[in-house]
């Protein structure tokens, strides 16, 4: 392209045209360029770059003396590169695993002395360029129709060079897009993968797992994926703990392909039960031991591999042997998939020095094999893999398993940064052990991990095998359970938003969870808040990764508000950026900032089954409009396909466009007729809608497609509207209507108002929290002592019950809230610590309400996002 140049030098003049493990496609449209040679100097100039190569001066191979590329400033930066130039501005990438990490790990590959981590630098830099050395990577064999493509070592002479120069300036999005043009698109995971995963290393039986599913249902908690760790297969723990090895020299029982019939006497029946609940299943694999003689299908595998089964000699794992790996699938794994296993958790832990082809490592080739083997994905099923990072090009084999981290605040603090930075190499789907792995953790730490997980790529809890290590949210104290369930339900509702973002990532090469600097590359602050990130097109998230101060009940957390107007979702406060806030957050706060005017597609909670709903095209599609006074219109697009096949690659999908309009006396949302391809025949002919206008007053009337919509306090009638006083939102529910026709919802006499964007939502929630705290302090205090607190806590419900009271309630609320704080401060019989914490929580909410949206009196905290013992290694960014 105009910004991406391949530079190849060989001693014999034979150049390599085969696809490599990283770069799979070089057949792109040729950009406009000029070139020529004069006096032994070759020049190549595009609209963005100018290359000069002196091929007669000194050594002909590429050196700092004979090769130079100049950035022409088209993408925000000028400057030049020559061989051996150190890229001091590289924004880093990712590495194989976080196994055993307690806190942060350095992502600067030059400072790591561990080749097995496959540390990969980013494709983007504040210097405007990056260089990828592909000189020694393995190559793909020529593609033959109907045959599984394999890999081979690159035939090259010593000193041969194959470089790719990315010269995209500060246009980071374009750099990643052009990377995927030559290295393959980011695949779209199946829709169910964006739902809720359960995982725990434990010797569950089939009955226990079915009871677990029932517990999810009893506790009104969504569930989509059941992960079964290694105890699904035959294990030999007693012998393993005595140090016994198998024939491959590995710990006995670590590898397995045969169900443990003590725990799963009828695995097919168990998997059928899971399918009846809409659940998907994956099993853990450690394949290093090959196929041992005790495996159920050992005789077939041995015979197919040329080994006499009577010899009882094991069948080795041969990663570089295409036939052997095909047999492993066909003989050992395919029967398990036919029983109902949907994909594999490939948990390779046996070292990266395993014998494979030159230019490859075991993690990379295992990822390729498990993701691409044709026999695995029958009937056009969409590939899915759960494994570690194997190096540049592994963005084609999602999803990533980040490994066994130590539960600690530093570990939680590192994960958002680690996840966002991986986008710099196109790796958009890290899945973390939410809660950490190796040790029990406090309810507060687990709650914060779940909240971060709700806005991570993949939501999956996990921990090691220990009786005191728990991941069921209902096993924690009630106050934490409710907060975690709210976060999980919110995550489940956001699947339409997330799936649309994932499709956009496939199209553009930009992961939907990515650093702030992709969108504000010229602002230094975009590089200075490592735990804050962009989530899709409309959200900025700054997870709380610090512990609460017991004296205040609040956890300090730096937040940068980007340019423009943003609504703080869970407080209702509007902010105008750019500005830095040194905010503090209670345990039920998640700092999520929504671009003003955004329309967030959702699946309304309660409109689908608790289990298996993520895979569904929602029968009721929700839209939440974050209306603000200065936004007159906005648009969103919702992507949908069948969710589980590769048909999305052949244009079988649908887009639904919704447009919000606000005038002086009304708000409206027009939902266009679905724009679907003719081949997408399974898209529903009809569906209902639930439209939520946030930050608006109750309307004088509501219409849907021109007809009046009646008020229903509970929103059960269709159509109907109701008002939620706790979120200051109008909610309109429609009947089922044809999807091939446009539908319009109009609310007259209602519009966004600045008085609705002052933090009332947070104040009501804080008052409710304090009421509970004071109720639990009986008989040290009595209800008569804190009546204003009770009234303040009930204001939202009073508005819900009587929407006409909204204006008067809101007008009186500041005085009521101030009175509530005064009452708390006067509770002399209350425990002093509880009184101080209650007053702090309420005062913080009041300060937020009175703060200017443009210049908030919240100073930035002193480096609180990076505890001194857990510093992250982030490139220094000077004024750009």
């Amino acid at each position: 392209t105009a910004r991406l140049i391949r530079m190849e030098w060989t001693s014999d003049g034979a150049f390599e045209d085969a696809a490599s493990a990283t770069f799979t496609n070089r057949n792109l449209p040729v950009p406009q360029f000029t070139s020529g040679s004069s006096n032994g100097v070759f020049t190549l100039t595009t609209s963005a770059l100018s290359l000069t190569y002196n091929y007669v001066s000194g050594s002909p191979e590429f050196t700092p003396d004979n090769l130079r590329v100049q950035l022409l400033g088209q993408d925000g930066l000028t400057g030049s590169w020559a061989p051996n130039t150190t890229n001091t501005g590289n924004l880093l990438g990712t590495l194989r695993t976080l196994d055993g990490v307690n806190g942060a790990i350095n992502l600067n590959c030059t400072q790591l002395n561990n080749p097995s981590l496959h540390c990969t630098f980013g494709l983007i830099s504040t210097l405007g360029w990056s260089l990828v050395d592909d000189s020694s990577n393995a190559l793909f064999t020529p593609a033959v129709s109907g045959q599984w493509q394999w890999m081979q070592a690159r035939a090259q002479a010593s000193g041969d060079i194959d470089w790719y120069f990315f010269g995209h300036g500060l246009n980071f999005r374009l750099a990643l897009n052009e990377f995927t043009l030559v290295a393959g698109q980011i695949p779209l995971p199946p829709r169910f993968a964006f739902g809720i995963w359960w995982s725990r290393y434990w010797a569950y039986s089939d009955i226990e797992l079915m009871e677990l599913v029932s517990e999810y249902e009893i506790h009104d908690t969504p569930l989509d994926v059941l992960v079964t760790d290694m105890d699904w297969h035959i294990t030999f723990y007693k012998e393993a703990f005595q140090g016994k090895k198998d024939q491959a020299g590995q710990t006995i029982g670590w590898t397995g392909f045969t169900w443990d019939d003590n725990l799963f006497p009828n695995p097919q029946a168990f998997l059928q039960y899971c399918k009846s609940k809409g659940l998907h299943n994956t099993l853990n694999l450690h394949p290093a031991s090959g196929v041992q003689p005790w495996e159920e299908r050992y005789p077939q595998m041995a015979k197919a591999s040329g080994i006499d089964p009577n010899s009882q000699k094991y069948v080795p794992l041969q990663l570089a042997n295409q036939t052997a790996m095909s047999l492993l699938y066909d003989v050992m794994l395919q029967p398990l998939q036919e029983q109902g296993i949907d994909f594999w958790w490939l948990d390779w832990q046996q070292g990266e020095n395993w014998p494979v082809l030159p230019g490859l490592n075991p993690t990379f080739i295992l990822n390729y094999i498990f993701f691409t083997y044709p026999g695995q994905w029958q009937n056009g099923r969409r590939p899915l893999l759960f494994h570690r990072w194997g190096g540049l090009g592994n963005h084609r084999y999602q999803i990533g398993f980040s490994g066994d981290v130590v539960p600690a605040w530093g570990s939680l603090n590192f994960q958002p940064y680690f996840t966002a930075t991986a986008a710099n190499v196109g790796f958009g789907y890290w899945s973390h052990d939410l809660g950490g792995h190796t040790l029990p953790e406090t309810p507060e730490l687990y709650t914060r991990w779940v909240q971060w997980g709700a806005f991570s790529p993949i939501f999956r809890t996990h921990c090691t095998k220990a009786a005191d290590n728990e991941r069921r949210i209902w096993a924690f104290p009630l106050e934490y359970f409710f907060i975690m369930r709210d976060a999980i339900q919110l995550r489940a509702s956001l699947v339409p938003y997330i799936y649309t973002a994932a499709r956009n990532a496939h199209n553009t090469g930009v992961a939907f969870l990515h650093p702030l600097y992709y969108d504000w590359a010229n602002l230094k602050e975009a590089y200075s808040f490592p735990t804050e990130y962009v989530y899709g097109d409309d959200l900025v998230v700054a997870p709380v990764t610090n512990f609460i101060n017991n004296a205040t009940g609040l956890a300090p957390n730096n937040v940068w508000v980007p340019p423009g107007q943003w609504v703080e979702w869970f407080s209702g406060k509007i902010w105008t950026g750019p500005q830095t806030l040194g905010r503090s957050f209670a345990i039920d706060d998640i700092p999520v900032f929504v671009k003003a005017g955004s329309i967030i597609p959702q699946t309304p909670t309660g409109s689908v089954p608790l289990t298996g709903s993520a895979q569904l095209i929602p029968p009721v599609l929700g839209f939440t409009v974050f209306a603000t006074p200065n936004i007159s219109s906005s648009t969103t697009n919702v992507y949908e396909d069948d969710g589980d096949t590769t048909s999305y690659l052949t244009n079988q999908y649908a887009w639904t466009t919704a447009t919000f309009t606000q005038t002086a006396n009304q708000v409206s949302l027009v939902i266009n007729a679905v724009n679907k391809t003719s081949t997408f025949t399974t898209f529903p002919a009809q569906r209902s809608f639930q439209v939520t206008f946030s930050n608006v007053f109750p309307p004088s009337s509501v219409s849907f497609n021109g007809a009046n919509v009646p008020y229903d306090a509970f929103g059960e009638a269709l159509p109907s509207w109701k008002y939620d006083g706790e979120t200051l939102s109008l909610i309109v529910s429609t009947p089922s209507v044809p999807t091939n026709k446009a539908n319009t919802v109009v609310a007259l006499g209602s519009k966004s108002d600045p008085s609705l964007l002052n933090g009332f939502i947070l104040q009501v929630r804080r008052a409710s929290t304090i009421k509970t705290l004071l109720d639990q302090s009986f008989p040290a205090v009595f209800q008569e002592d804190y009546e204003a607190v009770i009234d303040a806590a009930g204001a939202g419900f009073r508005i819900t019950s009587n929407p006409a009271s909204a204006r008067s309630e809101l007008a009186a609320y500041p005085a009521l809230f101030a009175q509530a704080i005064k009452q708390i401060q006067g509770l002399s019989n209350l425990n002093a610590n509880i009184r101080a914490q209650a007053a702090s929580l309420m005062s913080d909410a009041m300060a937020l309400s009175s703060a200017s949206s443009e210049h908030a009196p919240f100073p930035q905290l002193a480096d609180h996002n990076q505890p001194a013992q857990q510093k992250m290694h982030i490139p220094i960014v000077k004024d750009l």
Side-chain angles (χ1 to χ4, degrees):
T1 73
R3 297 163 178 82
L4 174 57
I5 298 176
R6 184 188 185 197
M7 300 175 289
E8 192 175 6
W9 183 89
T10 64
S11 56
D12 60 3
F15 297 102
E16 186 56 70
D17 294 327
S20 75
T22 298
F23 295 101
T24 57
N25 171 45
R26 306 187 193 94
N27 188 21
L28 302 183
V30 178
Q32 288 188 342
F33 72 96
T34 60
S35 66
S37 294
S38 177
N39 299 321
V41 177
F42 170 78
T43 61
L44 171 71
T45 303
T46 72
S47 59
L49 304 174
S50 178
L51 177 149
T52 60
Y53 171 48
N54 188 330
Y55 53 89
V56 297
S57 174
S59 175
E61 64 265 25
F62 302 148
T63 70
D65 296 324
N66 65 16
L67 179 64
R68 185 165 297 272
V69 180
Q70 184 79 32
L71 277 66
L72 301 181
Q74 188 177 51
D75 299 294
L77 287 179
T78 58
S80 64
W81 165 88
N84 299 334
T85 302
T86 300
N87 194 333
T88 56
N90 192 281
L91 289 164
L92 310 183
T94 198
L95 43 71
R96 190 177 76 90
T97 182
L98 298 179
D99 277 333
V101 171
N102 184 353
I105 187 172
N106 191 349
L107 298 182
N108 188 328
C109 304
T110 59
Q111 298 175 16
L112 284 176
N113 187 26
N114 189 349
S116 69
L117 287 176
H118 309 314
C119 186
T120 307
F121 273 113
L123 297 163
I124 57 177
S125 167
T126 58
L127 298 181
W129 61 266
S130 67
L131 186 76
V132 176
D133 186 352
D134 199 46
S135 304
S136 61
N137 275 345
L139 304 174
F140 283 99
T141 57
V144 177
S145 178
Q147 294 184 17
W148 184 29
Q149 202 170 5
W150 196 241
M151 293 185 177
Q152 61 187 1
R154 183 187 293 244
Q156 64 177 33
S158 176
D160 286 359
I161 297 171
D162 194 355
W163 289 343
Y164 290 77
F165 180 84
F166 290 75
H168 293 78
L170 298 180
N171 195 339
F172 302 145
R173 287 176 170 270
L174 184 59
L176 292 159
N177 173 258
E178 294 193 348
F179 170 69
T180 58
L181 293 181
V182 292
Q185 291 177 291
I186 301 172
L188 179 61
R191 187 181 177 111
F192 72 79
F194 297 109
I196 309 302
W197 296 34
W198 166 263
S199 181
R200 185 190 182 200
Y201 180 18
W202 196 254
Y204 285 108
S205 69
D206 50 5
I207 294 175
E208 289 171 323
L209 285 172
M210 288 188 284
E211 289 173 346
L212 178 70
V213 174
S214 296
E215 289 184 51
Y216 268 89
E217 295 173 324
I218 290 169
H219 292 93
D220 200 24
T221 305
L223 179 66
D224 296 282
V225 179
L226 269 182
V227 181
T228 309
D229 212 317
M230 60 175 285
D231 289 300
W232 71 270
H233 63 70
I234 297 172
T235 55
F236 303 89
Y237 283 118
K238 188 172 183 179
E239 294 90 333
F241 272 74
Q242 294 170 352
K244 187 174 181 179
K245 306 295 183 182
D246 58 27
Q247 292 184 37
Q250 302 290 324
T251 299
I252 191 169
W254 204 248
T255 296
F257 300 94
T258 303
W259 290 99
D260 183 336
D261 58 14
N262 289 311
L263 298 175
F264 295 91
N266 190 340
Q268 188 151 356
F270 165 69
L271 293 170
Q272 287 174 347
Y273 162 82
C274 293
K275 296 300 174 279
S276 74
K277 293 289 187 179
L279 299 174
H280 288 75
N281 297 83
T282 184
L283 300 178
N284 177 280
L285 282 183
H286 302 108
S289 293
V291 181
Q292 297 290 326
W294 57 75
E295 301 289 357
E296 180 181 4
R297 285 178 290 278
Y298 166 77
Q300 299 95 308
M301 186 66 182
K303 187 175 181 180
S305 303
I307 297 173
D308 180 3
N310 293 323
S311 71
Q312 293 293 286
K313 293 181 179 179
Y314 85 109
V315 181
L317 180 70
Q318 302 179 67
L319 295 179
N321 187 316
Q322 183 178 16
T323 300
M325 296 309 296
S326 299
L327 284 174
L328 183 69
Y329 251 113
D330 295 342
V331 178
M332 304 304 296
L333 300 179
Q334 188 63 36
L336 294 166
Q337 292 188 201
E338 290 173 354
Q339 288 179 325
I341 298 304
D342 297 288
F343 64 102
W344 297 101
W345 172 13
L346 187 59
D347 193 5
W348 179 263
Q349 299 172 324
Q350 282 69 39
E352 295 303 291
N353 294 320
W354 204 268
V356 290
L357 296 170
L360 278 181
N361 62 69
T363 300
F364 196 110
I365 196 166
L366 278 165
N367 289 345
Y368 172 74
I369 291 167
F370 274 71
F371 198 86
T372 66
Y373 181 60
Q376 181 179 9
W377 309 108
Q378 304 290 336
N379 303 318
R381 286 184 57 236
R382 197 176 304 177
L384 180 64
L385 171 66
F386 184 35
H387 194 210
R388 293 171 172 85
W389 169 260
L392 194 62
N394 261 218
H395 68 285
R396 300 190 298 269
Y397 316 124
Q398 308 281 10
I399 293 167
F401 165 52
S402 67
D404 304 342
V405 302
V406 177
W409 286 101
S411 299
L412 170 60
N413 186 60
F414 182 65
Q415 283 188 359
Y417 167 72
F418 177 76
T419 307
T421 306
N424 295 346
V425 290
F427 202 59
Y429 297 108
W430 272 121
S431 171
H432 303 289
D433 289 2
L434 299 178
H437 182 79
T438 57
L439 299 166
E441 83 286 79
T442 65
E444 181 192 352
L445 178 55
Y446 188 41
T447 299
R448 291 303 193 194
W449 229 307
V450 166
Q451 290 172 336
W452 140 241
F455 291 91
S456 70
I458 305 295
F459 185 99
R460 179 185 57 85
T461 58
H462 189 59
C463 64
T464 194
K465 182 184 284 190
D468 58 352
N469 222 347
E470 182 60 78
R471 289 295 173 266
R472 295 172 301 168
I473 61 172
W474 48 89
F476 288 80
L478 195 61
E479 61 179 299
Y480 296 99
F481 160 69
F482 283 132
I483 294 168
M484 287 189 279
R485 187 178 65 179
D486 286 347
I488 291 173
Q489 288 178 343
L490 176 62
R491 166 63 185 225
S493 77
L494 284 171
V495 169
Y497 176 81
I498 296 169
Y499 197 59
T500 299
R503 175 67 204 214
N504 290 334
H506 170 76
N507 291 347
T508 65
V510 177
F512 67 78
L513 192 161
H514 57 259
L516 297 167
Y517 46 75
Y518 284 23
D519 300 88
W520 300 281
N522 287 298
L523 298 180
K524 183 178 179 180
E525 291 81 359
Y527 303 81
S528 303
F529 291 79
T531 62
E532 188 174 336
Y533 55 86
V534 177
Y535 196 72
D537 290 337
D538 302 303
L539 304 180
V540 167
V541 185
V544 177
T545 60
N546 302 302
F547 53 85
I548 282 175
N549 183 328
N550 289 330
T552 64
L554 297 165
N557 200 56
N558 285 344
V559 174
W560 181 63
V561 181
Q565 281 201 328
W566 299 82
V567 178
E568 190 175 336
W569 192 335
F570 300 105
S571 74
K573 180 73 176 180
I574 191 169
W575 301 105
T576 300
Q579 64 170 309
T580 297
L581 308 176
R583 289 286 309 284
S584 295
F585 297 93
I587 189 64
D588 58 347
D589 294 330
I590 309 176
V592 178
F593 299 82
V594 189
K595 191 183 302 179
S598 293
I599 307 168
I600 306 298
Q602 293 178 265
T603 301
T605 300
S607 65
V608 289
L610 279 171
T611 60
S613 63
Q615 67 182 326
L616 303 175
I617 295 177
V620 181
L621 181 59
F623 291 99
T624 299
V625 182
F626 285 84
T628 59
N630 66 323
I631 300 296
S632 59
S633 65
S634 60
T635 299
T636 196
N637 296 292
V638 184
Y639 173 79
E640 292 165 303
D641 57 30
D642 65 23
D644 196 45
T645 75
T646 57
S647 61
Y648 77 97
L649 296 171
T650 56
N651 300 323
Q652 295 184 39
Y653 50 76
W655 289 91
T656 300
T657 299
T659 301
F660 163 67
T661 304
Q662 180 172 227
T663 64
N665 64 349
Q666 75 174 40
V667 293
S668 65
L669 188 75
V670 176
I671 305 166
N672 290 355
V674 64
N675 180 15
K676 73 178 186 67
T677 55
S678 60
T679 52
F680 188 14
T681 58
T682 57
F683 188 81
Q686 291 197 308
R687 78 181 341 162
S688 304
F689 298 102
Q690 185 182 94
V691 177
T692 300
F693 297 100
S694 67
N695 312 313
V696 299
F697 276 112
S700 56
S701 66
V702 176
S703 66
F704 174 61
N705 288 341
N708 182 64
V709 174
Y711 168 74
D712 182 342
F714 301 101
E716 294 178 351
L718 294 177
S720 67
W721 70 271
K722 64 180 180 179
Y723 192 79
D724 184 353
E726 295 191 338
T727 62
L728 301 179
S729 299
L730 166 67
I731 302 169
V732 184
S733 298
T734 81
S736 182
V737 292
T739 55
N740 61 357
K741 296 182 179 179
N743 297 280
T744 305
V745 176
V746 176
L748 291 172
S750 184
K751 64 177 183 176
S752 182
D753 189 286
S755 65
L756 301 175
L757 291 159
N758 65 357
F760 171 82
I761 296 171
L762 177 64
Q763 290 180 320
V764 168
R765 197 169 72 248
R766 290 278 174 88
S768 179
T769 298
I770 301 310
K771 176 189 177 298
T772 300
L773 193 65
L774 298 179
D775 289 346
Q776 293 170 347
S777 299
F778 176 89
V781 293
F782 302 95
Q783 291 181 350
E784 296 92 330
D785 299 327
Y786 52 92
E787 290 179 344
V789 177
I790 297 172
D791 286 347
F797 183 75
R798 291 195 297 273
I799 296 172
T800 298
S801 303
N802 180 18
S805 70
R807 293 182 184 273
S808 60
E809 286 275 4
L810 288 169
Y813 199 75
L816 175 62
F817 202 77
Q819 183 184 0
I821 295 175
K822 187 175 181 180
Q823 283 186 350
I824 292 168
Q825 292 170 335
L827 295 173
S828 58
N829 290 335
L830 185 64
N831 176 280
N833 291 334
I834 295 177
R835 184 173 66 247
Q837 187 179 107
S840 172
L841 286 165
M842 296 286 280
S843 298
D844 175 76
M846 175 168 274
L848 180 75
S849 177
S850 60
S852 166
S853 65
E854 296 185 6
H855 302 287
F858 294 110
Q860 183 175 355
L861 302 168
D863 204 26
H864 197 91
N865 277 350
Q866 296 182 56
Q869 71 275 21
Q870 300 294 349
K871 288 277 189 177
M872 286 182 246
H873 300 266
I874 301 168
I876 296 174
V877 180
K878 299 179 181 179
D879 293 334
L880 299 176

